Amino acid sequence: MAYKVTLIPGDGIGREVSVAAQRCIDATGVKIAWEEQIAGEEAMAKYGTVLPVQVLDSVRKNRVAIKGPIITPVGKGFRSVNVQLRRALDLYACLRPCKSIKGTKSRYSNVDLVVVRENTEDLYAGIEFSQGMERTQDVIKNLEELSGIAIKKDSAIGIKPISISASKRIVKFAFDYAVKNKRRKVTAVHKANIMKETDGLFLKCAREVSEIYKGRVEFEDRIVDNMCMQLVQNPELYDVLVLPNLYGDILSDLCAGLIGGLGIAPGANIGDSMALFEAVHGSAPKYTGLNKVNPTAMILSGVLMLEYLGEKDAASRLEKATAEVIAEGKAVTYDLKKDRNDPLAVGTSQMADAIISRLKTS
Ligand code: NAD
């Protein structure tokens, strides 16, 4: 019987990379009944909302979804659809493996990191108070009274909730992932020297959970700024990183940069009973409709999806075919060529064609 999977193509380059990934996944021979749902700009135009209720219903019903990137306006407009989806479906763990692929342009050749980012709280919780609003003045007054610290009256305020339950849950996810995938070490990343209560709590939870895995998986912690430098200097020293939401977002892009860019960095948002797979990259609007961008990140997100479905053989065949096409360096998009203006670079769909041919001959 076919697996039912919700497909959300997304905005900008979303549809191009989603179609490429969908074709590659189908070419593995795994039977999937795709249920397309629209969210983002297309849904706004059609239904007057960026996240129609049927999208959430479809993911809840099918329990597996793959999604292209969705635009979020900067500093104004609607709340991120991506954040809304992760929170509404309680997809609390964001998993972003970053592994060097032979043939990519990168300063490093031996990166094999997994970023595990908490997805539901921290400064991403969306608890913000606009500058100049009356209720913001109330918040400022209350905070000044409670903390004894003066706050400038012309401030906007954001709240950073960090809970024991969410922190323990994400650290446990990171350790369970490490055990299941035979990884040697988990590093908790924080800024507990400054944010003693919030990041301090995250670190305390990480230390407590690490005790359960003592003797099986190593544990250490790093302050986030030091971690950035360490990752740039010695990425091979690290293995699985577990982070609160905001640091996880930032370090995901840093780690994508270590392996050659956003075009090849896949991701998954996982909860206890469902998962949504998506590339780390955004909708890259300037490339929309040009059949130009790299489909690898989305295809490798499909590999993660096949693994989640238990289709290990199909997942490893698709991963291998993708790696071979990249290593060969012929049918690849501009970003994987030595010279980004190389006229021999192929388009998104042609790179997917090459991966499909490779799958069929392997
Ligand atoms: P972006 O990831 O869309 O693009 C940044 C740059 O990375 C691009 O200009 C391009 O040079 C490169 N790039 C990205 N994807 C690539 C690919 N597949 N192949 C080759 N090169 C690629 O980041 P941005 O410009 O900061 O964000 C654009 C929009 O996407 C924003 O509205 C943002 O909110 C949204 N976004 C969505 C998600 C998501 O849906 N999960 C994630 C990140 C950003």
Side-chain angles (χ1 to χ4, degrees), residues 13 17 67-74 80 82 86 96 249 253 262-264 278-287 292-297 333-335 340:
I13 58 167
V17 291
K67 173 188 140 318
I70 294 178
I71 283 166
T72 309
V74 176
S80 162
N82 309 304
R86 293 169 199 158
R96 290 172 164 178
D249 185 35
D253 276 34
L262 286 169
I264 55 172
E278 63 178 336
V280 175
H281 66 71
S283 56
K286 67 180 177 192
Y287 294 115
K292 186 171 165 89
V293 296
N294 191 342
T296 303
T333 47
Y334 74 100
D335 56 312
R340 286 169 80 87

Side-chain angles (χ1 to χ4, degrees), residues 196-233:
K196 295 179 194 297
E197 301 308 327
T198 47
D199 284 21
L201 184 61
F202 179 81
L203 177 59
K204 181 171 178 283
C205 291
R207 285 183 173 145
E208 280 175 26
V209 171
S210 75
E211 286 298 313
I212 305 167
Y213 298 85
K214 212 169 184 160
R216 288 188 288 162
V217 183
E218 246 179 86
F219 173 73
E220 63 181 10
D221 71 275
R222 289 283 181 276
I223 292 172
V224 63
D225 37 352
N226 176 30
M227 188 76 233
C228 292
M229 186 196 69
Q230 297 269 332
L231 282 172
V232 171
Q233 285 194 319

Side-chain angles (χ1 to χ4, degrees), residues 73-317:
V74 176
K76 59 181 170 94
F78 57 82
R79 278 195 64 211
S80 162
V81 174
N82 309 304
V83 174
Q84 286 187 59
L85 270 167
R86 293 169 199 158
R87 291 194 69 203
L89 301 169
D90 202 22
L91 302 170
Y92 61 85
C94 180
L95 182 74
R96 290 172 164 178
C98 283
K99 196 171 171 187
S100 298
I101 305 176
K102 200 169 159 235
T104 53
K105 280 188 307 183
S106 168
R107 292 171 193 273
Y108 309 88
S109 56
N110 54 350
V111 176
D112 186 5
L113 294 161
V114 179
V115 175
V116 177
R117 163 190 175 190
E118 204 288 324
N119 244 352
T120 64
E121 54 181 22
D122 192 1
L123 285 165
Y124 267 69
I127 311 169
E128 292 203 291
F129 298 89
S130 312
Q131 188 277 320
M133 301 282 282
E134 203 179 316
R135 63 190 190 131
T136 309
Q137 293 311 313
D138 292 343
V139 174
I140 289 174
K141 194 161 155 275
N142 284 334
L143 287 175
E144 283 184 329
E145 275 169 23
L146 288 167
S147 66
I149 295 171
I151 301 171
K152 288 195 171 66
K153 299 284 176 280
D154 57 353
S155 300
I157 301 284
I159 304 287
K160 169 172 167 139
I162 298 278
S163 68
I164 293 177
S165 49
S167 300
K168 285 195 169 174
R169 179 167 77 161
I170 195 67
V171 177
K172 189 171 180 310
F173 180 96
F175 272 99
D176 286 342
Y177 177 90
V179 170
K180 202 169 156 202
N181 294 279
K182 301 189 172 46
R183 313 288 303 213
R184 69 193 152 86
K185 181 167 77 173
V186 171
T187 306
V189 184
H190 59 86
K191 188 78 186 174
N193 52 331
I194 303 298
M195 278 160 275
K196 295 179 194 297
E197 301 308 327
T198 47
D199 284 21
L201 184 61
F202 179 81
L203 177 59
K204 181 171 178 283
C205 291
R207 285 183 173 145
E208 280 175 26
V209 171
S210 75
E211 286 298 313
I212 305 167
Y213 298 85
K214 212 169 184 160
R216 288 188 288 162
V217 183
E218 246 179 86
F219 173 73
E220 63 181 10
D221 71 275
R222 289 283 181 276
I223 292 172
V224 63
D225 37 352
N226 176 30
M227 188 76 233
C228 292
M229 186 196 69
Q230 297 269 332
L231 282 172
V232 171
Q233 285 194 319
N234 300 306
E236 71 286 352
L237 295 182
Y238 297 92
D239 192 350
V240 178
L241 311 177
V242 62
L243 314 91
N245 208 336
L246 181 62
Y247 309 145
D249 185 35
I250 297 167
L251 263 69
S252 294
D253 276 34
L254 191 157
C255 292
L258 297 178
I259 58 163
L262 286 169
I264 55 172
N269 299 289
I270 302 175
D272 285 332
S273 61
M274 61 189 96
L276 181 149
F277 298 83
E278 63 178 336
V280 175
H281 66 71
S283 56
K286 67 180 177 192
Y287 294 115
T288 305
L290 300 181
N291 186 37
K292 186 171 165 89
V293 296
N294 191 342
T296 303
M298 199 66 183
I299 293 168
L300 294 180
S301 302
V303 167
L304 295 176
M305 185 185 91
L306 288 168
E307 280 170 2
Y308 181 85
L309 289 170
E311 297 288 348
K312 308 267 184 235
D313 174 61
S316 68
R317 282 188 290 115

